[in-house]
Amino acid sequence: MVQAARELLAVRSPLDAELMVSDMIGAWWGRRVRGGDVEQVLGEGLVDYAAKAGTPASLTLLICLAYLGTARQGAKAEGAALAMMESGVARPGWADRVGAVKPTGCYVSRDAYGDQDTVICTFAYRWNDEAGQSTDSHALVVVVDHNMSGMARDAWVSSHVDKLLEQARAEAAGNSMLLFAEIEPQQARALLESAMKATGEPKTPPPVSESYSAYHAFARARLKALPPGRKRPAPLRIEAPYSRERRAMLAAEFLASDAAEHLSDPSAASRCADHIIDYGCEQDFSRPLRVSPTKCETFLLDWLPRKVMLSVAEQEAMPHVLSAWVRFAARRTGLPEQGLKATLDAVWEATGKFPEAYRDPTSFGLDRPLLERLLPDGDLSALARRVFAFPFLQGVHNGVDLDRLNPADEADRRALLEIDHVGELDEEHLAWHEEIATRLWEGDPPQLWEAAQRLLDLGHDRHEVLHVLIEIAERIGDDPEELASALDDIADIPDEI
C-alpha cells in the first residue's frame, strides 16, 4: 500500500487523492483477522508503517489517512504527518486542502413505497489557489434500503453535479411513484449516520454493492462536514413505538374492515395479522402500515420461514391475510393505485413459492409437542441453538420422564443439564454449563451461537465447543462488549483447551 501511494504524487486534486485512499483502505472493510480488530491490525499498522517509510508518498498517504481513517487512525496519522513535515519531507501543493470542503446542498430521491432513499449531498472545496473561491464540486450519493433495517447499501461519488441533479428531477417529474426534494443538511446527516451505523463494521460481508467498501471511508468523513442536528432522519418518518395494546387495536381494525371480510378462518387470520404487524413494528421502524412488493416478498419468503412457527391453518391463511392487509394498509396510507396493484401482484407471485419457502418444523423430524417446548415464544430461528443447548428432551432416564421437563423453566433446565453431564459432580462446572445453556436459549449475545457454529463446522464435537464457550465466558466476565468481541475472534479451538 505504501508503494501504491506513489500514485498520489501524480494526482491533481485532493478529491482524486481522497477517493484513491478510500478505495485502498476499503480493501479490509468488513474483513476478519485473527488476534484483533481489523482496523487496529491493518489500519493502524499501515499508519505505523507509512510513518517509518518517511517518503513523500508515505507522507501524502498519512495526510489522507488523517482525514479518512477512524478516530484512532486519524490521530496517529496526523501526529506522524506533522513530524515528517517538520523534518522537511515534501508534500504536494494540494495536500493542505484534503477534507477542506463545505456542503452546498442535500437532496433525496424516494420511492412512493418507502423502500429506498437515494440521498445526494453536494460539496465543494473551500478555495482554490488562484481566486480564493470554491472549486471541485462533487456529489456523494448513498442508497439507503429500508427493507434491510435502513442500512446504507450502495455509495458512489460523481463530479457531474448539475447533470446528476437534473436527471434526478427529470425522473421524478415523469414518475408518480418517485419523489425528489431538497432536505436540510442536518436531516441528511442524521439519515446517513443512521444508515451507515445500520450497515456497521460487519464481521461477515453484508449485502451491499461491490463498490460500497471503496467509498465507505470517504462517505464517513464527508458526513462530518454536514452540520449536526437533533432532527429525526428525513424523509423517513419514524413512528412512535407500538405498544402491545396499540398493535392489538390495529389488528382489530383490520379484521373488522372490508378488506378482511372474505377471510374464512378468523382465528388463523388474527394470528397472521399479529405476525404482519410485529414484522412492521420490529423490522421496519414501527411502520406496520407500509407495504411494498419487496417488503411483502421479504416477509413471506424470508422472514417468516426463518423466524416464526406457524400452524398448518396459519400456513394456509397467511398469503390471503397478507393480500387483505395490503389493501387495508394502502387505503390507510394513500398508496397510489399503481403501487397497490404492483404490491398485490408481488404477493400473488410469492404465494406460489411460499409452501416451498416455509418448511413446517415438524418436517425436521420433531413432533409438535417437542417443538412447543423448545419454542414457547414461536421464534423458529432459535430452534437450532436450543436443540444444541438441550439435546436430551425425550425418553426416560434414571426414572425421570424427560418429556415432562420444560427447558424454559429454571429448575427443569438444571435437571436436564445434570442428565447431560452424568458423572460430573462439580457444582461450579455445572453452573457454568447452565449459564451457557441459558445464554444459548435466549440468544444473548448472538455471537455465542455464531462462534459455536463455526467450531462445529470445523469438526469439533459438542462437548469441546461447550467447554470453549465456558472458558471464554469465565475469562471475560460480565462485560458484554468484551464477550462479544472475544467470541467474534474465535476461529478454532486453541490447543490448550
Side-chain angles (χ1 to χ4, degrees), residues 99-384:
V101 297
K102 64 177 182 181
T104 56
C106 294
Y107 310 84
V108 67
S109 178
R110 185 191 189 196
D111 64 82
Y113 298 116
D115 282 340
Q116 180 174 288
D117 293 335
T118 300
V119 183
I120 303 172
C121 298
T122 61
F123 301 89
Y125 286 87
R126 292 194 182 112
W127 65 85
N128 64 29
D129 293 334
E130 298 177 358
Q133 299 174 347
S134 297
T135 188
D136 289 338
S137 294
H138 54 281
L140 168 66
V141 185
V142 181
V143 178
V144 180
D145 192 330
H146 298 300
N147 288 317
M148 300 173 68
S149 303
M151 67 181 290
R153 187 173 53 80
D154 198 2
W156 66 91
V157 173
S158 173
S159 58
H160 304 288
V161 176
D162 292 339
K163 183 177 180 181
L164 177 69
L165 296 177
E166 181 181 348
Q167 181 179 354
R169 291 189 181 97
E171 288 178 353
N175 188 344
S176 62
M177 296 294 291
L178 282 179
L179 167 71
F180 181 78
E182 185 170 5
I183 58 175
E184 295 183 19
Q186 296 95 324
Q187 295 176 312
R189 177 169 177 169
L191 174 59
L192 293 182
E193 283 183 338
S194 174
M196 293 188 72
K197 182 179 180 181
T199 306
E201 298 287 354
K203 304 300 179 182
T204 56
V208 297
S209 69
E210 293 183 1
S211 64
Y212 180 82
S213 60
Y215 293 100
H216 175 263
F218 182 90
R220 179 181 60 195
R222 277 297 189 269
L223 291 190
K224 296 176 184 177
L226 298 175
R230 295 182 176 273
K231 297 185 177 182
R232 285 182 173 179
L236 173 63
R237 180 185 176 190
I238 300 179
E239 300 284 354
Y242 273 65
S243 64
R244 278 291 156 196
E245 292 76 12
R246 189 180 177 192
R247 297 186 194 192
M249 288 179 61
L250 183 58
E253 291 176 23
F254 162 66
L255 294 170
S257 69
D258 294 341
E261 64 180 358
H262 68 284
L263 299 175
S264 58
D265 187 338
S267 179
S270 176
R271 292 191 296 271
C272 290
D274 289 339
H275 293 314
I276 294 170
I277 294 170
D278 287 344
Y279 177 74
C281 291
E282 296 163 14
Q283 304 295 317
D284 191 28
F285 304 95
S286 295
R287 298 186 297 173
L289 290 169
R290 187 182 79 82
V291 292
S292 77
T294 302
K295 181 180 179 180
C296 290
E297 288 175 358
T298 302
F299 169 75
L300 200 60
L301 302 182
D302 180 64
W303 188 78
L304 272 178
R306 287 188 298 107
K307 292 291 294 180
V308 180
M309 185 173 68
L310 299 174
S311 68
V312 174
E314 291 163 3
Q315 293 174 47
E316 295 176 352
M318 180 58 78
H320 307 288
V321 177
L322 182 58
S323 294
W325 180 267
V326 168
R327 294 187 179 90
F328 169 76
R331 189 176 298 120
R332 292 279 295 265
T333 60
L335 182 68
E337 187 66 26
Q338 178 184 351
L340 171 60
K341 182 179 184 302
T343 304
L344 289 173
D345 288 345
V347 174
W348 176 254
E349 290 291 327
T351 297
K353 304 173 185 177
F354 181 62
E356 182 179 351
Y358 189 90
R359 292 186 60 197
D360 193 310
T362 56
S363 68
F364 304 155
L366 302 175
D367 59 34
R368 178 65 60 170
L370 178 59
L371 282 168
E372 291 174 352
R373 290 163 64 203
L374 285 166
L375 305 175
D377 52 1
D379 184 0
L380 191 55
S381 65
L383 181 60

Side-chain angles (χ1 to χ4, degrees), residues 425-478:
L425 301 178
D426 186 339
E427 286 297 318
E428 183 178 357
H429 185 65
L430 282 175
W432 274 111
H433 272 286
E434 186 174 6
E435 168 76 12
I436 295 300
T438 299
R439 286 183 174 274
L440 287 168
W441 180 272
E442 297 173 352
D444 180 28
Q447 290 86 352
L448 191 71
W449 177 232
E450 292 170 3
Q453 291 177 92
R454 289 198 301 274
L455 296 176
L456 291 169
D457 289 342
L458 290 171
H460 299 292
D461 66 35
R462 174 177 174 274
H463 193 70
E464 290 175 325
V465 173
L466 285 171
H467 279 205
V468 171
L469 300 181
I470 288 172
E471 189 277 331
I472 294 173
E474 190 173 6
R475 170 165 51 86
I476 298 299
D478 295 330

